[in-house]
Amino acid sequence: MRIWAFACLLLCLPVHAQAGSTYRVKHPSIACGDDFALKALNDRTNQHLTDPQWRQATMVQGQCYTVTPDMRWEKIANRNGLPLLRRNPPIAGMPPLYFMASDIADITAPPAAPGRPADTATPAPAPAKPADVTDPQAADSAASPQTAPVIITHTDPPAPTDLFFMTGGFQKLGSMLLSALLALGAGWVLWVVYRMIMAFVGRRAALRQATALVERNAGLLIQRRLHAHEGQAAHGHAPAQQWQREVDRFCRTTLMPALAHEWREQYWAAIERKVLACIEAVSTRARPRPDLRLVTAPVPYHADMTCAQYVSYCMGLLEKAGWDTRMSANAGQAATVIVATKDGLSMVVQCWTERRPVEEDIVRQCIAARAGLSARIAVVVSNAPYTQQAIQLGKSSRVFVLHHEELQKFASQVEAPQVA
């Protein structure tokens, strides 16, 4: 901040003229705003002096002017052995010019001779007869009160403090610093705008990716919401709390890894509210399909069904939902596995027909059947209640534990494109 203030102060400093005498040229000469151009025009060894085009171009580039003896000049500085003069009085549009030292003369009146009173009046000379004076130097000498020309050797006093050529250099340095600061400021603004644009584009891409994943997993979300609101929550949690736990797990296990794979996980905080609203809308979506309504199986359910009858009853519910079913090798046992396929999606359904509660061993058998048959979905169906251990194991291993009354509705909502 101090450097900036110092540069601004230097830009505002005026260029003070050195205290000097009044000068004029001895004869019509050339003065230039560029000292190098003036030296080139007065270099007798230069081979281009006889070229009018080169001379004219050099005078234009060096801001050269033709100066006559009737002009009065005042010295302000020296540079590379050349005096820098300006008009006295100044004229608008006429900049300070460099002169050859041999072409100028000091015309300041000499001090009064010692012994002569300063207030003694000097008799005015008789007016001379006007004549046609062609030499300006002779005319100026005639107008001078001296009777004979006096040659004065003027020595420029040394500058007390050069101050980097009387602040001219500091002004250029300040302009360079100001230009650099402006360039840095413009670069910083462009960088901020670029970052804002990239953040906006990244947020849009992350939101599109997250909503596409939610739509693709709509069937899974619907089923989890049904479990949460139909008394399937564990440890006595309220349905709303259980559903919130399901949403958090879905975001943690499905959405966040997908966003991290595309390097977009940093945008989750900005899109979380919209994604949760999309999950809420998808999970409560009503599907206008005829197979969503529950239908009555050909054989009504009764509590005294045998294992084969109960398996046939469950297969009928799956076929009503549009699945192709077949039984595995353990048909007729208490834990019979049904293999169902639909649109390239496979599902194993393990039927438990005993009246005692379903324990976690039955869920492990379903997990093994899913792995052995390479199925995507595993379901345990029973008319008996489930133990808390079986419910927890099903939730951790993604095995759906259902009552047979929920089987057709669940199977109707599962679609191949919507399962992650």
Side-chain angles (χ1 to χ4, degrees):
M1 189 64 185
R2 294 181 179 179
I3 298 176
W4 170 257
F6 184 66
C8 294
L9 179 61
L10 291 178
L11 290 174
C12 299
L13 286 176
V15 179
H16 296 286
Q18 296 178 351
S21 304
T22 304
Y23 294 83
R24 68 173 179 83
V25 294
K26 300 176 182 178
H27 49 77
S29 305
I30 296 176
C32 300
D34 187 4
D35 55 338
F36 294 102
L38 180 62
K39 288 183 177 181
L41 292 173
N42 289 273
D43 188 5
R44 302 301 179 184
T45 62
N46 192 348
Q47 299 178 357
H48 300 286
L49 287 177
T50 58
D51 188 357
Q53 294 181 356
W54 176 86
R55 188 178 181 88
Q56 182 65 24
T58 304
M59 293 185 66
V60 172
Q61 294 178 359
Q63 298 181 353
C64 299
Y65 298 85
T66 302
V67 182
T68 57
D70 59 338
M71 299 179 181
R72 299 296 180 263
W73 301 85
E74 181 183 22
K75 180 179 288 189
I76 58 176
N78 283 324
R79 181 179 181 184
N80 297 330
L82 297 179
L84 179 64
L85 309 182
R86 66 181 178 186
R87 284 297 302 270
N88 186 14
I91 297 179
M94 178 65 70
L97 302 175
Y98 289 97
F99 291 77
M100 297 300 294
S102 59
D103 292 343
I104 61 175
D106 188 353
I107 60 174
T108 305
R116 184 176 180 181
D119 55 352
T120 303
T122 304
K129 183 178 179 180
D132 296 335
V133 180
T134 58
D135 189 359
Q137 183 176 2
D140 192 60
S141 300
S144 176
Q146 301 177 358
T147 58
V150 178
I151 300 176
I152 300 175
T153 303
H154 180 75
T155 303
D156 295 330
T161 55
D162 197 8
L163 194 58
F164 203 64
F165 280 89
M166 301 304 293
T167 72
F170 283 112
Q171 288 181 346
K172 294 181 180 179
L173 180 61
S175 299
M176 293 174 60
L177 290 176
L178 181 60
S179 301
L181 291 175
L182 291 177
L184 290 175
W188 180 78
V189 171
L190 291 177
W191 172 251
V192 171
V193 172
Y194 171 77
R195 290 292 300 272
M196 293 175 61
I197 294 175
M198 293 304 296
F200 175 76
V201 173
R203 287 195 300 269
R204 293 291 298 272
L207 182 60
R208 286 196 300 268
Q209 182 182 3
T211 52
L213 285 173
V214 171
E215 291 289 342
R216 191 157 56 244
N217 292 273
L220 185 62
L221 292 172
I222 291 173
Q223 181 60 31
R224 290 184 179 180
R225 190 178 184 92
L226 289 175
H227 277 207
H229 289 273
E230 291 181 6
Q232 297 295 331
H235 300 292
H237 290 302
Q241 295 178 349
Q242 180 65 16
W243 169 239
Q244 185 62 40
R245 288 164 59 91
E246 295 289 347
V247 171
D248 294 341
R249 187 177 69 171
F250 176 76
C251 295
R252 185 178 64 255
T253 60
T254 303
L255 295 182
M256 293 301 296
L259 293 176
H261 184 267
E262 300 293 336
W263 303 95
R264 295 169 180 165
E265 67 275 8
Q266 67 271 18
Y267 303 115
W268 173 249
I271 66 173
E272 181 179 6
R273 181 179 300 177
K274 294 183 179 179
V275 173
L276 294 180
C278 181
I279 292 175
E280 194 70 20
V282 168
S283 62
T284 57
R285 181 184 301 168
R287 301 171 182 268
R289 289 177 44 181
D291 55 357
L292 286 179
R293 64 180 185 274
L294 292 176
V295 298
T296 305
V299 179
Y301 170 79
H302 57 88
D304 298 331
M305 276 186 171
T306 63
C307 295
Q309 292 175 346
Y310 188 75
V311 171
S312 177
Y313 172 75
C314 293
M315 291 177 66
L317 295 178
L318 291 173
E319 291 175 357
K320 288 293 182 180
W323 293 77
D324 297 329
T325 61
R326 63 181 176 85
M327 287 191 300
S328 64
N330 60 348
Q333 299 180 5
T336 303
V337 176
I338 302 173
V339 180
T341 57
K342 177 183 178 181
D343 299 332
L345 180 66
S346 60
M347 177 174 60
V348 293
V349 180
Q350 185 162 353
C351 300
W352 177 256
T353 57
E354 293 188 3
R355 296 184 178 181
R356 60 187 176 89
V358 181
E359 298 180 353
E360 54 184 343
D361 292 338
I362 307 302
V363 179
R364 289 194 181 93
Q365 294 178 13
C366 186
I367 295 173
R370 179 179 60 182
L373 298 173
S374 301
R376 295 286 301 276
I377 305 174
V379 181
V380 178
V381 179
S382 176
N383 57 351
Y386 294 87
T387 63
Q388 293 296 330
Q389 292 80 5
I391 294 175
Q392 291 299 322
L393 181 59
K395 291 174 65 65
S396 60
S397 58
R398 301 192 70 176
V399 175
F400 298 93
V401 289
L402 306 175
H403 192 270
H404 61 261
E405 295 179 354
E406 301 173 329
L407 179 59
Q408 182 180 348
K409 187 175 182 180
F410 169 79
S412 300
Q413 294 173 343
V414 176
E415 295 180 0
Q418 296 177 344
V419 177

